[in-house]
Structure formats: structure tokens, C-alpha cells
Amino acid sequence: MRCFAADLHLQHPKLAGLRGFESVPAHDEYVISRLAELTADDELWVLGDICSGGVASMESALTQLSELAVPMHLVTGNHDPVHPMSRGAQRHFAAYASVFSSVQQYARVKIGGEGAVLSHFPYAGTPDRFERDQFAQYQLPDFGMWLLHGHTHSPERRSGARSICVSLEAWDLGPASEDAIAEVMRGSGA
């Protein structure tokens, strides 16, 4: 089974509190436990923001994720030191590549027979409470293809006519399966 998740934010005190956890370790343990439900026969696409943004946070997040059995791919987010918006991002590539089977800024997959683009950011022009000029150059234009994204931390799964948010907040703090995403695409899994 292929699954998608975004905005893990391991080692992120603010997000742990916003998600209702009393401590960062409690938050991280819960998020990792949800991901640990996946096996070596599954595949996980993380659409950015594995950590809070600092190198120590990145190292802790990578260590925690390296213990999972599931093969993982990363589409980088603005809190990932390996994202191209970070100065010196290339210095962190080897660390990420030791945990993820692939590391890229965007990707493309098929879900339920439909092509979909994977990005950390929603489509350009999508209302986003975290919208900042510095992110605009990393947002894709909407040419009509399905988009799976994170970044917004929205509890709403649908973020546009053909876009789906896979932030943990939209999926009960766990990954979204390809089947669940396909249901949302068909309009039956809001």
C-alpha cells in the first residue's frame, strides 16, 4: 500500500503543543507509532517538513524515521534544511538520502488511474494562512492535474477543485492511504 503524509514536524515544540501533546517526546512517539503501522511491503511519501527546521531537529527526525521498516520518499518542505530555499541545502542531502529512497522538490505519481503531482506547497493562488512571498517561487501553477500537498496544516482534506492536503491534521495525525486519497478524488472521501 502506498501512503502519503506531510508536516510530521518531529522535534517541534510549537506543533506538539498545537496538536494537543504535553511534550515533544509524546508527540514524536505518537507520530512515529502511526508511521510504524506501515511495513516493508508499503511505501510512504512524505511531502515535507519532517522537523522544525534546525540541524539538531533534522538529525533527531532522521534518526527516528530511520527506524521505520517502510520504504520512504521525501518531497522537501520549507522546514527541511535540504529544501533549496535553505542556504547550503546540498550539505544535508547525504543525511536525507541515507533515510529516504529518493529526495526531490516535486514528484509525480498515479493514483486510481489519475496522474498527480506531489509538492509540499499548495498550488499558487490557493488561500493559505502561511502564505509568504518567499514560498511563491516554489508553488506550482495549477494546470489541471491533481496535486497532493502539505504545508497548510489544514484539517480539511480538499484544498481546491483538484488538490488534496495530506498534512497530518487532515488525516487524524497519520498517513493517508492511496485508496483514501482516491476516494477523496472521486468526491466520496471528504
Side-chain angles (χ1 to χ4, degrees):
M1 173 175 54
R2 187 167 43 176
C3 293
F4 303 87
D7 305 308
L8 307 181
H9 286 285
L10 301 170
Q11 288 297 297
H12 198 295
K14 181 178 179 181
L15 257 292
L18 288 172
R19 289 176 174 164
F21 292 89
E22 291 185 19
S23 68
V24 169
H27 169 267
D28 290 6
E29 182 179 325
Y30 183 79
V31 170
I32 292 295
S33 75
R34 294 295 308 275
L35 300 177
E37 294 170 7
L38 302 173
T39 71
D41 295 327
D42 299 318
E43 178 181 75
L44 176 64
W45 283 85
V46 179
L47 305 189
D49 289 0
I50 67 165
C51 62
S52 65
V55 173
S57 169
M58 173 198 81
E59 290 171 347
S60 176
L62 289 172
T63 297
Q64 292 179 70
L65 291 167
S66 72
E67 297 173 6
L68 297 173
V70 63
M72 296 178 288
H73 302 274
L74 178 69
V75 172
T76 61
N78 57 293
H79 283 271
D80 296 313
V82 74
H83 188 277
M85 74 185 301
S86 297
R87 206 170 295 125
Q90 71 282 356
R91 292 188 316 248
H92 305 292
F93 186 81
Y96 278 83
S98 72
V99 174
F100 291 95
S101 299
S102 68
V103 178
Q104 60 265 309
Q105 191 173 349
Y106 309 103
R108 188 170 165 186
V109 297
K110 255 194 172 155
I111 298 174
E114 294 266 2
V117 179
L118 308 177
S119 173
H120 176 65
F121 299 101
Y123 275 137
T126 301
D128 172 12
R129 63 189 170 125
F130 299 113
E131 190 172 339
R132 294 184 184 94
D133 288 341
Q134 70 199 47
F135 301 144
Q137 65 185 321
Y138 301 105
Q139 290 182 279
L140 296 170
D142 183 353
F143 291 121
M145 186 174 248
W146 279 99
L147 171 74
L148 273 60
H149 70 86
H151 187 64
T152 64
H153 295 266
S154 174
E156 303 297 323
R157 294 177 178 177
R158 290 296 290 267
S159 56
R162 294 181 65 79
S163 57
I164 299 170
C165 179
V166 294
S167 292
L168 291 183
E169 286 80 359
W171 299 88
D172 300 319
L173 296 182
S177 72
E178 183 173 357
D179 291 343
I181 295 290
E183 282 184 40
V184 174
M185 290 171 140
R186 289 191 298 269
S188 58

